[in-house]
C-alpha cells in the first residue's frame, strides 16, 4: 500500500486531515469536537485508537478544538513545535508527559515507513507550520492557513503527487462582504489567508507531471463557494496551459480515502 488520505473537515469551523501508510496512521489537527471527530473517522471506517499520533499545525481553535479530547480518549501522542505547545497549553486540557512531543520547524522526522517534513507558513499564530508526507517515492503536501506562498514554501512542497491547498476566499466577495474592515485587512494581509487566484498562481509554479490531484481547502463560508473556488483556480491553471483534476473539501463531510498512485 502507498499513502492514503482523507480531508476529514476543512474550513473556518474546523479542520482535520488523516493520512496513512502501511505502518503509520496520523491525524493532523483536530479542530472539531471529540464527538464530531469520532463521527468523521467512522465515515471513512478508521478506528481512531489505531492512530500513531496527532500532528498540530497551529493553536487556532479551528485546528485544536477536539485535540485534547481525542488525545486523552485514545492515549495518543501529540507533536507540535515549542511555541505552539506554549500557545495551546491552556486550551487543550491536561495531558500526560508521554503524550507531549516536540516537532520542530523545518524538521524531518521518520515514523516507521513514513517521512514527515514540517515547514513554516505566514499566518497570525505563534509559530504555524504545515507538513509534507513521503512514503515509497510518493509525496503529499498539506498547505493551508498562509497569507502568501513564499519561494521557500514552493521549494518544499513542489513536485508532490497530491496537494491539499488553501483557496480561502474570492477577493471581491470578501471586499463587498459583511466583515469589518479590520478583519478583511487581516485576511488579505501576509498573515491571513490565500485567495482563489493566488492559490492558482502558486499551484501553477509547484505542480509537476506527477501531480494527480489537488484538493481545494479551508474555503471561507462567507467569502467563497466551492464552484467559484474550483472555477477560479482552474481558470488560472488553464491560462498557463495546465489541466488537472480539482477536488472539493467540506467543513463537515470527509473526502473519500484516496490512495496515491
Amino acid at each position: 500500500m502507498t499513502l492514503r488520505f482523507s480531508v476529514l473537515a476543512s474550513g473556518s469551523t474546523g479542520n482535520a486531515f488523516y493520512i496513512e501508510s502501511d505502518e503509520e496512521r496520523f491525524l493532523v489537527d483536530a479542530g472539531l469536537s471529540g464527538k464530531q471527530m469520532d463521527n468523521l473517522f467512522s465515515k471513512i471506517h478508521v478506528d481512531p485508537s489505531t492512530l500513531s499520533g496527532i500532528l498540530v499545525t497551529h493553536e487556532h481553535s479551528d485546528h485544536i478544538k477536539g485535540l485534547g479530547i481525542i488525545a486523552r480518549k485514545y492515549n495518543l501522542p501529540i507533536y507540535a513545535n515549542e511555541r505552539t505547545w506554549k500557545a495551546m497549553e491552556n486550551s487543550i486540557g491536561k495531558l500526560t508527559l508521554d503524550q507531549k512531543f516536540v516537532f520542530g520547524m523545518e524538521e524531518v522526522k521518520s515514523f516507521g515507513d513514513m517521512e514527515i517534513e514540517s515547514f513554516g507558513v505566514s499566518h497570525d499564530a505563534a509559530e504555524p507550520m504545515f507538513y509534507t508526507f513521503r512514503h515509497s517515492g510518493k509525496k503529499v503536501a498539506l498547505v493551508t492557513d498562509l497569507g502568501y506562498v513564499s519561494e521557500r514554501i514552493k521549494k518544499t512542497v513542489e513536485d508532490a503527487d497530491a496537494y491539499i491547498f488553501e483557496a480561502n476566499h474570492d477577493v471581491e466577495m470578501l471586499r463587498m462582504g459583511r466583515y469589518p474592515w479590520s478583519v478583511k485587512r487581516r485576511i488579505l494581509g501576509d498573515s491571513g489567508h490565500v485567495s482563489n487566484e493566488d492559490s492558482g498562481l502558486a499551484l501553477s509554479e509547484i505542480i509537476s507531471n506527477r501531480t494527480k490531484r489537488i484538493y481545494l481547502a479551508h474555503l471561507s463560508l462567507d467569502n467563497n463557494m466551492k464552484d467559484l473556488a474550483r472555477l477560479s483556480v482552474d481558470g488560472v491553471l488553464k491560462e498557463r496551459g495546465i489541466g488537472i483534476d480539482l477536488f472539493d473539501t467540506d467543513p463537515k463531510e470527509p473526502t473519500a480515502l484516496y490512495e496515491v498512485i
Side-chain angles (χ1 to χ4, degrees):
M1 189 177 75
T2 178
L3 293 171
R4 296 203 307 164
F5 68 82
S6 167
V7 183
L8 296 172
S10 185
S12 55
T13 55
N15 295 274
F17 174 74
Y18 170 74
I19 190 162
E20 68 176 22
S21 61
D22 287 333
E23 299 176 5
E24 303 293 332
R25 292 182 162 191
F26 280 97
L27 172 66
V28 184
D29 292 339
L32 299 93
S33 71
K35 184 177 180 180
Q36 287 173 310
M37 291 299 305
D38 280 341
N39 185 46
L40 290 168
F41 274 115
S42 71
K43 289 182 177 180
I44 61 169
H45 308 293
V46 170
D47 180 354
S49 69
T50 64
L51 288 172
S52 308
I54 308 174
L55 305 167
V56 180
T57 62
H58 61 291
E59 74 278 12
H60 288 170
S61 61
D62 59 329
H63 293 260
I64 65 164
K65 183 177 180 180
L67 178 62
I69 297 168
I70 291 290
R72 282 186 290 275
K73 183 174 182 178
Y74 299 108
N75 191 30
L76 298 172
I78 298 174
Y79 300 84
N81 63 48
E82 290 185 356
R83 291 183 65 188
T84 298
W85 269 118
K86 188 174 182 180
M88 70 181 181
E89 271 184 335
N90 293 331
S91 303
I92 61 176
K94 190 174 181 180
L95 297 168
T96 61
L97 285 177
D98 61 357
Q99 289 180 285
K100 297 181 177 180
F101 292 86
V102 172
F103 197 137
M105 180 76 77
E106 318 290 351
E107 187 175 356
V108 179
K109 284 182 179 290
S110 293
F111 298 90
D113 59 359
M114 190 187 300
E115 185 178 86
I116 303 175
E117 180 177 6
S118 67
F119 58 92
V121 298
S122 61
H123 193 55
D124 52 358
E127 193 171 22
M129 65 183 192
F130 279 78
Y131 303 93
T132 66
F133 306 85
R134 291 185 176 86
H135 168 72
S136 294
K138 301 298 182 182
K139 177 180 176 181
V140 174
L142 174 63
V143 195
T144 69
D145 295 82
L146 67 172
Y148 72 100
V149 189
S150 68
E151 293 304 313
R152 183 167 187 149
I153 292 174
K154 291 175 187 173
K155 189 68 178 174
T156 301
V157 305
E158 67 182 0
D159 194 31
D161 295 272
Y163 290 91
I164 301 86
F165 206 92
E166 178 168 54
N168 177 258
H169 59 274
D170 174 79
V171 173
E172 287 308 309
M173 283 185 69
L174 176 62
R175 289 188 188 280
M176 299 298 290
R178 63 182 176 85
Y179 287 6
W181 173 242
S182 59
V183 177
K184 294 178 182 180
R185 188 168 56 186
R186 176 223 167 212
I187 294 171
L188 291 167
D190 286 350
S191 299
H193 290 282
V194 166
S195 70
N196 295 338
E197 289 72 18
D198 286 344
S199 177
L201 288 169
L203 284 164
S204 72
E205 296 182 35
I206 60 178
I207 63 176
S208 67
N209 290 334
R210 85 180 211 182
T211 305
K212 309 292 192 308
R213 289 190 177 204
I214 298 169
Y215 291 75
L216 300 181
H218 215 301
L219 271 65
S220 168
L221 288 175
D222 293 296
N223 304 306
N224 211 352
M225 295 177 287
K226 291 179 182 177
D227 288 347
L228 178 58
R230 218 178 321 107
L231 285 169
S232 299
V233 173
D234 188 54
V236 173
L237 293 175
K238 284 182 176 172
E239 284 178 1
R240 287 154 180 77
I242 301 170
I244 191 166
D245 291 331
L246 302 176
F247 291 82
D248 297 330
T249 62
D250 191 89
K252 296 180 179 178
E253 294 294 328
T255 62
L257 267 177
Y258 170 65
E259 182 167 346
V260 181
I261 55 176

